[in-house]
Amino acid sequence: MSNALQNDTLESDRELASTPLVQLSMQQAINRALGEILEADDRALIFGEDVGLLGGVFRVTDGLQQRFGANRVFDTPLAESGILGTAIGLAMAGFHPIPEIQFDGFAYPAVNQIITQLARMNYRSRGTLPMPVTLRVPSFGGIRAPEHHGESLESLFAHVPGLKVVSPSNPQQAYHLLKHAASMPDPVIFMEPKARYWNKADVNLTDNRTGGAVDSASVEGSVIARPGKHATLIAWGAMVSRCLQVAELAAEDGIELEVLDLRWLKPIDEAGLAASVSRTRRAIVVHEGPHTAGLGAEVAALVSQSCFDSLRAPVERVTGFDVPYPSGDLEDEYIPNIDRILFGVQRVLEYRRG
Amino acid sequence: MSNALQNDTLESDRELASTPLVQLSMQQAINRALGEILEADDRALIFGEDVGLLGGVFRVTDGLQQRFGANRVFDTPLAESGILGTAIGLAMAGFHPIPEIQFDGFAYPAVNQIITQLARMNYRSRGTLPMPVTLRVPSFGGIRAPEHHGESLESLFAHVPGLKVVSPSNPQQAYHLLKHAASMPDPVIFMEPKARYWNKADVNLTDNRTGGAVDSASVEGSVIARPGKHATLIAWGAMVSRCLQVAELAAEDGIELEVLDLRWLKPIDEAGLAASVSRTRRAIVVHEGPHTAGLGAEVAALVSQSCFDSLRAPVERVTGFDVPYPSGDLEDEYIPNIDRILFGVQRVLEYRRG
Amino acid sequence: MAPRALAATLDTLPPPVLPLVEADAAGPAQLRDLYRMLSNVRQLDAAAVAWQRQGLIPGYAPMLGQEAAQVGAGAAVDTTRDFVFPTYREMGVAYTVGVNMVDYMSTHKAIWHGGLYDAVATHFAPFQAVVGGSVLHAVGWAHGQTLNAASAAETALGVGLAFLGDGASSQGDVHEAMNFAAILRAPVVFFVQNNGWAISVPTEQQVAGGSVAARAAGYGIPAVRVDGNDVLAVLSATQRAVAHARAGLGPVVVEAMTYRRGPHSTSDDPGRYRTLDDEKIDGGEDPLSRFRSMLLAGNVADAASFAEVDAQAQQQADEIRDGVVALSSRPGSEMFDFVFQESTPTLGAQARQWREESEHV
Amino acid sequence: MAPRALAATLDTLPPPVLPLVEADAAGPAQLRDLYRMLSNVRQLDAAAVAWQRQGLIPGYAPMLGQEAAQVGAGAAVDTTRDFVFPTYREMGVAYTVGVNMVDYMSTHKAIWHGGLYDAVATHFAPFQAVVGGSVLHAVGWAHGQTLNAASAAETALGVGLAFLGDGASSQGDVHEAMNFAAILRAPVVFFVQNNGWAISVPTEQQVAGGSVAARAAGYGIPAVRVDGNDVLAVLSATQRAVAHARAGLGPVVVEAMTYRRGPHSTSDDPGRYRTLDDEKIDGGEDPLSRFRSMLLAGNVADAASFAEVDAQAQQQADEIRDGVVALSSRPGSEMFDFVFQESTPTLGAQARQWREESEHV
Ligand SMILES: Cc1ncc(C[n+]2csc(CCOP(=O)(O)OP(=O)(O)O)c2C)c(N)n1
Ligand SMILES: Cc1ncc(C[n+]2csc(CCOP(=O)(O)OP(=O)(O)O)c2C)c(N)n1
Ligand SMILES: [Mg+2]
Ligand SMILES: [Mg+2]
């Protein structure tokens, strides 16, 4: 579970002659992964609001109903609890549901089914009714959308026993993490950073480190998105690329920031976190969700515990504020921006015991 | 907001001749507070499942419908989202709803109304539609009840911008905190530790420190339930009395544990936490809810930050496990028990930098 | 007021396309068998209440008065292909479809929330404490049968039976379930036991319009409202509903009008919200005596045979009691074992810590 | 297929106890006024779509085709005592009840989620993005009017008007709302705009049974299903519904059959799920031309007067545009100011940190 070097953006990968690289946006990478999942597993089903003919409001399921038919890919009535409850029943009948919730903020009506049913059915039934449900949730903010279209639910989900939670930060990860999640026998909440849907990057459709099959390091635990030594920026989803920008800027001043892409928000790669921060001895966790009881608190608590002796400054949390996600016009004030992250970096670097 | 010495259990209070002390269980104290609230504020309404003639499954609303009539205290159909949505509308009409959710685990169907509506209406309306709603939720485990009757939702609620969250640990606090919460112009989730409903203690119906009116220290921030100097046990709800037991035991070995009753889970009394732990230099946070992303993470992160220089050991978290709340038979294995808390204390006391 | 069971009936279920395999008119053997089940369920229910008073189990939700509704419904289930989604009060259905009753009772002994019985083998989903919580599961499961049949080119579908109460009908999930089921044409039977009460709240303050069955029309779903204290009427209505769903004609709502003659649960005190007189009038004649009278009138059974069956039922309840007494706690390690199919490092570490601190190993 | 608006009507609303104050047959002045509102709303809607294309606002949800439904409903509201609970597509209702349209449009300019208008003063609740999210609020608010009236011994109640779409009717909350309203006998009108679509999903795949109004009977609620493209029919149905609720007779469902002639929102592409031919047939005659023909036939207005009204509407839309252009961002500090009525130390500290780091003060 310890972190591997993230490989999709490194120049060296392109040199491996045998690796089939394609340029894909995250939206395309997920669409491609879904197609392959449906192809390989005839118990896999996709459903939700507008996922059929329309292909989803983000076109992530584009073309799949046409390709696999309306029995495999279907629109449901507009009711999120209904979508999840139906998914649970289908899983009980031996199917592998891959439902979509149209936007993060509309997962709330399904919270009862997710927490009291989806997350507990395996437990309640003593393992006889597994819930191989992959719940796709376009997540987080940054697209100037209406209210409730930019929520961060990771801390809510990560707290729920029985759920696993993952969020990819780029097309390569989206493709492999989704295929991995869909192969898991447990419920996985797959949080897609919608602000990154349209950013393209190379995707290695097999896995370049093993020259063929995907190895576990590429789909489990965290990854080091950029190595560094003065402090570790810990992030997930869309905040990873922002942290990479910050690291780039800091490097101009000779500060080498490590960027750790947490990826799995439950279970958290505690060993990977500890390994990085015990090297850099300083950490800043960055997320979009509100501060109090955000997942940053868990990360900070874990790091403060495991790196107690090596930490040279309190773990900084640069997060959304404890305010409702604001309208598009104030979005940039709310989501951690480069300045605010740099202030956080500065605080950990300049910290002196009093 | 800094913590005051908790006064209700101290012998000295009994001596104040003028203070009207009555022995009440927490259930009685809340019932009494509700009666006084309805008496004083004719916009206050109580409603929920079985709160009328039955007086609630815990008899917390016992006699109130008989006393105030079925317009003020009424049963609703069995639908938690309906209860919350109706409460919001009543608040928009100028009422002060005090709805009850029958058990913690049945708050989940209302989560959408709580998060997307109750917590945001004041914000969305730019302060023109305040939400003075006091939501009573019998909370936490310990009563050997069926599934979903022993959940800890504080971390979910505390993460939601726009909500305030409080949990009393004894009858005195229940009485005063509820009256205070009901007087607040913002939504407050009032988490009643159901395992403590039947424990009696003296309640000072006015407030003993000011010889009359309730002062803010008695209803705001945290309180020191027991002073000590070797480490601080931080808890809320039913875990406070358990921590007091632990402190009692530890005292026999000459270890003086401070017990901090957090009370307000949002906003958290950061100053009070810092004041205590910077004195004791060691902290253990204890809660029933699951470990990962539990409120203990927030407390640990806050303490690790504010007491970075003074802390002599990583903050320990003694919590429920990351498993669904188990059946009554395994309850004692799940809820932090005296042994597990003592192990946590031992770890912080014996910690040596490596 | 008249007994609830006599409430106006409603029947919008079209006649079967194919004649029902199960004969509508049950033969003497089947009638006696129904009585045997009613008697067993009655005894076991009374026994469980007693166990609670004796401290053997911490709580129980009696189904006194609902025996005809539950046995009638359960007897219409084909457990080789149908699947039952119960609430917390379906002891009688569990018994009728053959769930191991010691394993069933384990949930009331607070040993395991979902019960120790094998839900998959018995086609009886785990004990469900969330009101309305499993109704949507029945819809999803049933839609799965449609999909299975489509790929296997079958015509007879497995049917999901969702059990719910009058109180549950108020939950949004139940509405979503009925709408989804009708849109998907899923083979589901929504079996509502309208027993007059949701804890202390009477149906009149719960179900606007007065009938859950009457709501079905709004979804284009056929419905049958039936005297829930008449075991044969319930059996026949459920058989018809199952046959309709099985034939691929979509969902059906069955509302069995019955009465919760006992408290909501062993910790409830009905005296706070209803009088004994109300109970007598609303409850009407006891469903078991009604059935006994019928069998006597039809010369299918006599007093002696009832006594024999009742005695056997008593004995069976005693045996189940022995089993429940013998049930031991599950090891704490199972808290961790069943969270996931594939555990996680974090959970593994917590399990280790639990072992060290609580089991001292 | 025939235009949706011609779908079979349903009317179970009993005749009024007292004659309606508002005359059913509108006089010429009122008819011309209705046309003026229809025209203004039409122009403003088209303008808002254009603003989005021009980059002035990031998005908009057009109500093209729903003008008659919205103006008709809005004209039945007494804003001195009723309260409107809109969705995100009720621009026409907002206009009709007198909401400041620049402030209304601010939400589409992404300036403030709920809109900058004063919801309390205008009796028009904040813009609501959660489908079905505010329907229960209308019930609670309406029940508050009942309680107020009880203590003031009044008989005419303020009425809550809950707006919802065909898609919203699938949400559990809407069911809970109808049941609560009927049980509480709350003065609510559930005004459903059945516009044929929920984004890409047609009503046939959404509303089992085909009609939201038809569901009302299941709750014992009277309902009217009305041609939503006939502004007078909508006005009259809503007036009758409001009068019923106002008289303390409980909730009413009005289902206005109309058609979403445009995309779901400015980011939608209806070409993916419906053809232009479908649109033509299902949409039927444009509600504005229908009303124009009627006025012409009745000699209430002539082509010249329409042209004049339309030109004024165009001018008003331009003025609103100027206002929208002039709307400036709200200061970031308001993020913190409106979370609570009484702020907290934590939030205060965050606001300070934000000021230091983002405003550099
Ligand atoms: C979602 C939810 N809310 C509340 C409860 C508490 N509760 C348990 S049973 C019950 C009444 C249920 O009534 P009904 O559906 O009529 O079933 P019955 O008990 O009559 O069999 C209530 C309120 C619950 N278990 N789940
Ligand atoms: C709870 C919720 N789920 C999903 C969405 C996304 N969404 C916005 S509008 C819409 C369709 C609504 O259809 P309908 O209720 O018919 O109203 P219309 O758009 O036709 O006016 C959807 C799915 C949402 N806003 N809220
Ligand atoms: Mg009932
Ligand atoms: Mg619509």
Side-chain angles (χ1 to χ4, degrees), chain A residues 50 54 59 62 77-80 102 145-148 291 321-323 325-330 333 340 343 347, chain D residues 110-113 129-130 167 170-171 198-201 206 272 329-330 332 335-336 339 347 350 353-354 357-358:
Chain A
D50 308 290
L54 184 66
R59 306 294 182 264
D62 191 25
L78 206 177
E80 290 77 11
Q102 198 162 77
E147 199 177 2
H148 313 295
H291 187 83
F321 299 107
D322 284 335
V323 309
Y325 191 92
S327 199
D329 223 35
L330 292 176
E333 304 295 324
R340 285 178 53 211
F343 276 114
R347 277 192 295 276
Chain D
I111 283 186
W112 198 263
H113 279 319
V130 179
S170 296
Q171 287 285 350
I199 308 187
S200 72
V201 179
Q206 182 76 251
R272 294 179 75 101
S329 300
R330 304 305 311 172
M335 283 196 301
F336 304 96
V339 181
L347 200 53
Q350 290 184 13
Q353 188 172 358
W354 169 81
E357 296 184 359
S358 301

Side-chain angles (χ1 to χ4, degrees), chain D residues 317-338:
Chain D
D318 288 346
E319 283 164 25
I320 294 169
R321 184 187 200 281
D322 293 344
V324 172
V325 170
L327 269 181
S328 55
S329 300
R330 304 305 311 172
S333 55
E334 288 190 354
M335 283 196 301
F336 304 96
D337 294 346
F338 291 124

Side-chain angles (χ1 to χ4, degrees), chain B residues 50 54 59 62 77-80 102 145-148 291 321-323 325-330 333 340 343 347, chain C residues 110-113 129-130 167 170-171 198-201 206 272 329-330 332 335-336 339 347 350 353-354 357-358:
Chain B
D50 306 291
L54 184 66
R59 307 292 183 266
D62 190 25
L78 206 176
E80 290 76 12
Q102 198 161 78
E147 198 176 5
H148 313 295
H291 186 84
F321 299 108
D322 285 336
V323 308
Y325 191 92
S327 200
D329 223 34
L330 291 176
E333 303 295 323
R340 284 178 55 210
F343 275 115
R347 277 193 294 276
Chain C
I111 284 186
W112 198 262
H113 279 319
V130 179
S170 296
Q171 287 286 351
I199 308 188
S200 73
V201 180
Q206 182 76 249
R272 296 178 74 98
S329 300
R330 304 305 312 170
M335 284 197 300
F336 304 96
V339 181
L347 201 53
Q350 291 184 12
Q353 188 173 357
W354 169 81
E357 296 184 358
S358 301

Side-chain angles (χ1 to χ4, degrees), chain B residues 175-229:
Chain B
Y175 176 81
H176 288 292
L177 289 173
L178 180 57
K179 288 181 70 172
H180 182 55
S183 76
M184 290 166 75
D186 294 304
V188 180
I189 314 286
F190 192 81
M191 302 178 73
E192 303 172 1
K194 61 176 94 80
R196 306 295 301 170
Y197 269 144
W198 313 112
N199 294 74
K200 292 205 171 193
D202 282 346
V203 176
N204 183 324
L205 297 178
T206 61
D207 182 62
N208 46 9
R209 245 156 331 183
T210 56
V214 172
D215 77 357
S216 68
S218 73
V219 289
E220 282 171 16
S222 62
V223 283
I224 302 297
R226 174 184 175 118
K229 63 182 180 196

